[in-house]
Amino acid sequence: MITATEKSIQIIEEGHITSPKGFTAGGVHCGLRKTKLDFGWLHSEIPAAAAGVYTLNSFQAAPLKVTKNSLEKSKKLQTIVVNSANANACTGKQGYSDALEMQKLTAEQMGVETDHVAVSSTGLIGVPLPMDKIRSGIGMLGKEADTSPENFEKAILTTDTVTKHLAAQVEIDGKMITIGGAAKGSGMIHPNMATMLSFITTDAAVEQKSLQSALKSATDNTFNMITVDGDCSTNDMVLVMANGMQKNKPLNESHPEWDKFFEAFQFVCQGLAKLIAKDGEGATKLIEVNVTGAPSEIAARQVAKAIISSNLVKTAIYGADPNWGRIVCAVGYSEQPIDADKVGISLGDIAVVKDGLPLDFDEGEGKLYLQNENVKLIVNLNIGEYEATAWGCDLTYDYVKINASYRT
Amino acid sequence: MITATEKSIQIIEEGHITSPKGFTAGGVHCGLRKTKLDFGWLHSEIPAAAAGVYTLNSFQAAPLKVTKNSLEKSKKLQTIVVNSANANACTGKQGYSDALEMQKLTAEQMGVETDHVAVSSTGLIGVPLPMDKIRSGIGMLGKEADTSPENFEKAILTTDTVTKHLAAQVEIDGKMITIGGAAKGSGMIHPNMATMLSFITTDAAVEQKSLQSALKSATDNTFNMITVDGDCSTNDMVLVMANGMQKNKPLNESHPEWDKFFEAFQFVCQGLAKLIAKDGEGATKLIEVNVTGAPSEIAARQVAKAIISSNLVKTAIYGADPNWGRIVCAVGYSEQPIDADKVGISLGDIAVVKDGLPLDFDEGEGKLYLQNENVKLIVNLNIGEYEATAWGCDLTYDYVKINASYRT
């Protein structure tokens, strides 16, 4: 766990994806949604070193394929465009050529190289992208009146109830580096499915290869450790742009302050991941599961994920029921090597299980603790040195309501 | 999929676990629950070849350990006792010696060898077994007034809403062999966790080794293919007793009618599994997922399980929403080799996806179909010859209600 203070990371109050130098963002309404903003752009003054991670779902949506292909060649991005309301997934060859056209037209409109444009879509699947509306959206890109990070953050939402943004600073080579981020995601969303999208910017100079490996590591610890309902979408994507406008000596793993940069970078990823988990469909609480004493990093992650994904744990926390048996059970079926006689469990500061056996604790106190908006479950396996943290949310009537109601 | 007709399997109307020759069963109230029956027994006139499969949860409950140890030595069972209301799990050394005492006292009461007694518990975890009540229950075992399969089936329930029983017959060596079964299970149950318990009896003579392998195979295709909420308990167990009282030539894999026996045996397992899935906590529907065209058996199973476990699929079916995108998505994240351009999906007889692309179908018709009590989702991966079927239930407001309400 990183805390801002211990790593000299400074959080920017009301920080945005445009807090780093040289980035602008905006959003417009192009008619994909009734009245809400539905088309957003993020732009760097100069081409930025870029990296991406993508959903492992076999049904990868067309915009992901286009973006991935371009980025693998160019290693750089200058403009990212995102539409909501339509995921351009399960749309076959037409979908792929639509995504290519979206990329090409954006490049022309913004005066950048085609391979420096990423395209991203979220919303309904199986419906062809309404290209007339997309074209009209692209025609509006970059206008000053629509330029604001809030517009971008709103334009990328689907069933999210809040926008998600964050920025932090850290000193590298005596220069104040800024890292900003924006995200969307609220579960695999009504009416069909949606997406976890995250965009991260920094004005630090970072070598592309190192940026890619930093993104991969940070994603494993943050975005890949959240779950709302266990469903991984066709459109999930995280992109990062590092435009180097702070003119620091380009960062890589050998740079003496690499760790400092990475911690700050991961801090922003973690912050966005937690905002997504907390805004899970129907959620009333953010749940954090911290697993320590694991024999390996994989074991720590798997146990944390088993707990955070358990419907029974999630409903118990919704009901503020200090039902530790469900946590024990999830630990037990995580398919990791566990010594049942060594496991300890706490709800916040309240120890409820020690050496695999129940402790006498005040159930009323446990219930009171679980009524908090942020709930922490701590599991010590006591058989190793590794740890992992996962985030999720409670399972509520509203989750069922949101997802059971017929598409209209 | 086995259907009774095509394999000359005859279902016994109102069949029970005592339908096979030589078995008796009963249940009493010994004070573990307020008024409901809470202690059941199943008994064979003569020691029966026996086999068992057990939960893979690392926190295996004491009665499972005791039963497993005995059965591994004796290979036979004559009496099975089951208590509800207390799982004797997470109870440490005391729990283990309590389970041993429960076994020993039952053996004395029934006049059978200790190693021929299986003990089983389901209910609250982390609470020591109230041995005074267990002893009083054992003292009542075998009395004629309490002897009826219905009593046994009731005594093993927790939050189940119905008893689950089934029997079928098949001719082997010109003799009519009967296979009976009883089960409980309704999700990992309020107030702490509970259990899938199944007991199967037959009057066929079956070699113990073959019985064990038949149970393992049948379980993989049936009990291991159901999910209510994905939570696998500490106490799950399936036991089978074959007492040979029909005096057929002992069955093994080389017997010319082995396949016929196995199909009938699996038919009973499947029937019980479906009864459990249908009685899932809060469920209003039984969902069957049939995956065909898979490159391997494991792939077929994994894809079927990914779909049946998806909260989004489960809520969509609760809401009778023909939202095929969620099925596509679950197929995609099943971590199996999928060719996205080959997948076909049907809701019952209504084809909704072909070659990975949506078909034009009547949504009203789809909605109407999903309003049935039994819903079938068919997924053809079109890349192989293997298939698998999984069963589950919808995710409803009542599931949240049952599991979120505080223990009282």
Side-chain angles (χ1 to χ4, degrees), chain B residues 351-387:
Chain B
V352 294
V353 171
K354 199 189 165 193
D355 301 332
L357 293 173
L359 294 169
D360 227 0
F361 72 99
D362 182 340
E363 289 232 348
E365 205 185 315
K367 188 168 172 60
L368 208 65
Y369 173 70
L370 295 181
Q371 285 169 346
N372 286 310
E373 227 181 87
N374 294 309
V375 163
K376 206 166 171 172
L377 312 179
I378 301 145
V379 174
N380 192 336
L381 302 178
N382 281 309
I383 48 171
E385 297 302 320
Y386 292 87
E387 68 174 300

Side-chain angles (χ1 to χ4, degrees), chain A residues 295 302 364:
Chain A
Q302 283 302 106

Side-chain angles (χ1 to χ4, degrees), chain A residues 174-327:
Chain A
K175 292 183 166 122
M176 195 54 91
I177 295 301
T178 306
I179 303 166
K184 74 152 296 271
S186 173
M188 277 272 307
I189 300 158
H190 175 93
N192 240 323
M193 69 167 59
T195 303
M196 197 277 293
L197 291 180
S198 289
F199 305 102
I200 300 157
T201 53
T202 179
D203 47 21
V206 189
E207 287 180 11
Q208 196 274 338
K209 232 175 158 176
S210 304
L211 190 65
Q212 180 67 48
S213 79
L215 179 61
K216 174 74 177 62
S217 300
T219 297
D220 282 346
N221 293 327
T222 60
F223 298 114
N224 284 346
M225 293 304 287
I226 57 173
T227 182
V228 172
D229 50 23
D231 281 32
C232 159
S233 103
T234 51
N235 291 50
D236 290 352
M237 169 157 73
V238 184
L239 293 177
V240 54
M241 294 200 277
N243 67 10
M245 287 182 76
Q246 283 301 350
K247 299 193 185 301
N248 58 297
K249 187 171 160 256
L251 286 156
N252 61 28
E253 286 85 345
S254 316
H255 190 288
E257 295 190 290
W258 172 259
D259 286 352
K260 205 169 159 191
F261 168 76
F262 178 75
E263 297 292 355
F265 179 69
Q266 186 163 269
F267 176 80
V268 169
C269 293
Q270 187 190 95
L272 293 172
K274 285 163 78 170
L275 288 169
I276 293 168
K278 190 162 189 169
D279 195 28
E281 287 176 339
T284 68
K285 289 168 195 171
L286 175 69
I287 307 172
E288 179 176 317
V289 175
N290 183 227
V291 173
T292 60
S296 70
E297 200 162 347
I298 287 173
R301 282 188 187 148
Q302 283 302 106
V303 173
K305 280 186 176 179
I307 298 167
I308 202 73
S309 303
S310 160
N311 280 352
L312 286 171
V313 170
K314 286 153 65 89
T315 45
I317 287 172
Y318 173 51
D321 179 359
N323 195 330
W324 56 268
R326 295 182 181 175
I327 302 171

Side-chain angles (χ1 to χ4, degrees), chain B residues 2-11 168-171 176 257 260 263-264:
Chain B
I2 319 147
T3 60
T5 47
E6 71 190 22
K7 298 285 178 187
S8 59
I9 298 167
Q10 291 170 30
I11 299 173
Q169 292 187 309
V170 67
E171 211 179 280
M176 194 55 90
E257 295 190 290
K260 204 168 161 190
E263 296 291 356

Side-chain angles (χ1 to χ4, degrees), chain A residues 328 332 340-341, chain B residues 53-66 68-69 87-92 96 233-237:
Chain A
V328 161
D341 297 332
Chain B
V53 290
Y54 311 89
T55 184
L56 296 176
N57 196 301
S58 304
F59 289 84
Q60 219 173 50
L64 269 78
K65 292 181 189 162
V66 167
K68 203 178 166 186
N69 286 346
N88 194 10
C90 292
T91 44
Y96 190 74
S233 103
T234 52
N235 291 49
D236 289 351
M237 171 157 73

